[in-house]
Amino acid sequence: MSEPRCASYYAATIHEEAEYPRLEGEHRVDVAVIGGGFTGVNTALELAERGYRVALVEANRIGWGASGRNGGQVTGSLSGQDAMLKQLSGPLGREAAENFVWDLRWRGHRILRQRVDKYAIACDLKFGHLHAAYRPSHMAELKRDVEAAQGHEIAQHLSLLDADQTRELVGTELYHGAVHNDYNMHLHPLNLCLGEARALEDVGGLLFEDTRVTEIRHGATPCVVTERGQIHADSVVLAGNAYHRLERKALKGKLFPASLGIVTTAPLSREQQAAINPQDLAVYDTRFVLDYYRLTADGRLLFGGGANYSGQDSADIGAELRPRLEHTFPQLKGIALDYQWQGKAGIVINRIPQLGKLSPNVFYAQGYSGHGIATSHIVGNIMARAVSGQLEEFDLFADMRHWRIPVSERLGNGLLAAGMWYYQLREKLR
């Protein structure tokens, strides 16, 4: 049996819930996609738009996992971009590698806006974001980011702010400056994912919920085996990220789940909203393990922060995040928290998304390390092109070198937690 949606603000404010059948019996398609989050839905949608007959299967509900639980921020911060640039500079040359990574950073924005416009997806899409300096030493990094954008179109959307200018945009004394970016976005991710799934259905895709995959049988025509049926396809795409346990022999030790928590307050008055976020911006800070927040369409503060790298769920997200929220906004001390929930992000040691093949016609994509909305739309585009024979960008990712920790997932998460503690300690000493 599938699991119900978590009791999140997003689940409580769905515009139109999906209702897709459970897969039963035998099916034959061009491409089978496993996973009903952003990666799976967007890969399937792009393939269906190209004329492929596609079937997507999800163990629970569309958008049930991290795609429907995240902070809702769409930024140009690409997971692992520095490590990616370093690895690509060899085969591509420095200038070509820089251009490729720069394009990737903003491609997700373009794809997402096209999706929303083309299919009229109501997902509370808004523009405007602050990357806020938590320590004075962090301003140098923000300044470098703005300088690196010069000569690119994005530069016209960026402003480097000092501490006083930052306080005019967000009602807290914590920050020493910020980069204001009016190209970045924030939105209701679950409504976006559900809207993209409806678009997939509209262009002829088959969608199945409550359909847990038990096995992938490889071969000339691979077979996706579920509890009540099978899908035979020319190609298979595995897009379950941190929520599946398929193909452990090949994928074990490459990705580790981290639990991320979010709370949402009771609705704020207009005066409270104007005091803490008068321009309705999304915000995250410059720490390695950061806080992030924004206002919802109905005027609540949605606040996330920290991460549990043990791989286990936290016992009380509200108790963990309330001190961080009230430290940021003392004027909201004691405010009711109407919703609290958590979800799993797929963490990669070097932060570079992992794309590859498990056999000649079985592909996989995973590991966005907390940057999932934009990155998953980019990856969906790359995966759809790879399945259709355009392998140039896919091969660049498939050839990336990754750390693989040959231990149990529990021990691997322990090592990851220790590494995160080290980086946090080093950051405090800066």
Side-chain angles (χ1 to χ4, degrees), residues 380-394:
N381 172 258
I382 293 173
M383 296 302 289
R385 291 165 66 184
V387 170
S388 61
Q390 299 171 277
L391 291 162
E392 295 82 7
E393 292 185 343
F394 174 86

Side-chain angles (χ1 to χ4, degrees), residues 87-209:
Q87 290 204 35
L88 290 174
S89 293
L92 296 182
R94 182 73 182 187
E95 183 177 356
E98 288 178 347
N99 290 336
F100 177 69
V101 172
W102 187 265
D103 174 75
L104 286 179
R105 286 186 60 181
W106 308 106
R107 188 187 304 179
H109 293 60
R110 298 192 295 270
I111 295 171
L112 195 152
R113 292 178 67 174
Q114 290 166 0
R115 290 267 188 278
V116 170
D117 292 343
K118 181 176 181 178
Y119 295 106
I121 299 173
C123 59
D124 304 335
L125 180 63
K126 305 175 186 178
F127 292 86
H129 178 264
L130 280 186
H131 190 192
Y134 198 81
R135 298 185 182 279
S137 60
H138 296 173
M139 283 299 296
E141 178 185 348
L142 295 183
K143 184 179 179 181
R144 286 194 297 270
D145 288 345
V146 173
E147 290 173 347
Q150 301 309 307
H152 296 278
E153 183 180 353
I154 192 66
Q156 64 184 308
H157 298 281
L158 306 181
S159 301
L160 184 66
L161 310 179
D162 62 23
D164 290 337
Q165 291 170 316
T166 302
R167 281 191 290 272
E168 292 178 3
L169 296 181
V170 60
T172 178
E173 300 295 319
L174 286 183
Y175 306 132
H176 300 272
V179 173
H180 179 221
N181 182 324
D182 64 16
Y183 191 73
N184 284 342
M185 300 174 280
H186 51 112
L187 48 77
H188 190 304
L190 182 52
N191 278 330
L192 172 63
C193 193
L194 291 170
E196 290 172 330
R198 284 191 291 273
L200 171 59
E201 184 180 34
D202 289 344
V203 295
L206 303 174
L207 294 96
F208 300 97
E209 295 181 314

Side-chain angles (χ1 to χ4, degrees), residues 187-379:
L187 48 77
H188 190 304
L190 182 52
N191 278 330
L192 172 63
C193 193
L194 291 170
E196 290 172 330
R198 284 191 291 273
L200 171 59
E201 184 180 34
D202 289 344
V203 295
L206 303 174
L207 294 96
F208 300 97
E209 295 181 314
D210 190 14
T211 301
R212 188 172 301 278
V213 175
T214 58
E215 179 187 3
I216 302 172
R217 293 178 186 161
H218 298 258
T221 305
C223 180
V224 174
V225 181
T226 76
E227 294 167 331
R228 293 178 175 83
Q230 299 182 353
I231 306 174
H232 301 272
D234 297 321
S235 301
V236 172
V237 177
L238 176 55
N241 204 31
Y243 283 93
H244 76 89
R245 289 296 176 268
L246 296 167
E247 301 291 331
R248 289 296 87 195
K249 183 177 180 180
L251 299 179
K252 181 180 178 181
K254 299 185 72 172
L255 175 142
F256 298 91
S259 181
L260 308 179
I262 298 177
V263 297
T264 308
T265 69
L268 306 181
S269 68
R270 291 185 181 274
E271 292 74 20
Q272 287 174 313
Q273 294 176 51
I276 68 170
N277 195 347
Q279 292 194 16
D280 199 5
L281 304 173
V283 181
Y284 62 62
D285 66 57
T286 50
R287 286 175 292 175
F288 194 79
V289 179
L290 49 81
D291 288 341
Y292 49 93
Y293 51 87
R294 62 189 184 87
L295 295 175
T296 63
D298 57 355
R300 304 169 185 268
L301 178 65
L302 185 149
F303 189 99
N308 182 350
Y309 290 98
S310 71
Q312 305 299 311
D313 286 345
S314 299
D316 189 339
I317 291 297
E320 291 184 14
L321 289 184
R322 179 180 288 280
R324 302 173 74 116
L325 186 159
E326 293 180 350
H327 179 62
T328 306
F329 297 114
Q331 59 268 54
L332 297 183
K333 186 175 180 61
I335 193 167
L337 302 179
D338 283 358
Y339 301 93
Q340 56 179 288
W341 70 95
Q342 53 198 314
K344 286 185 169 55
I347 305 297
V348 178
I349 299 299
N350 66 4
R351 294 299 199 266
I352 301 174
Q354 296 173 347
L355 282 62
K357 288 184 179 183
L358 298 165
S359 60
N361 49 5
V362 177
F363 302 76
Y364 71 91
Q366 62 181 22
Y368 311 133
S369 301
H371 298 266
I373 301 182
T375 306
S376 59
H377 284 74
I378 297 165
V379 170

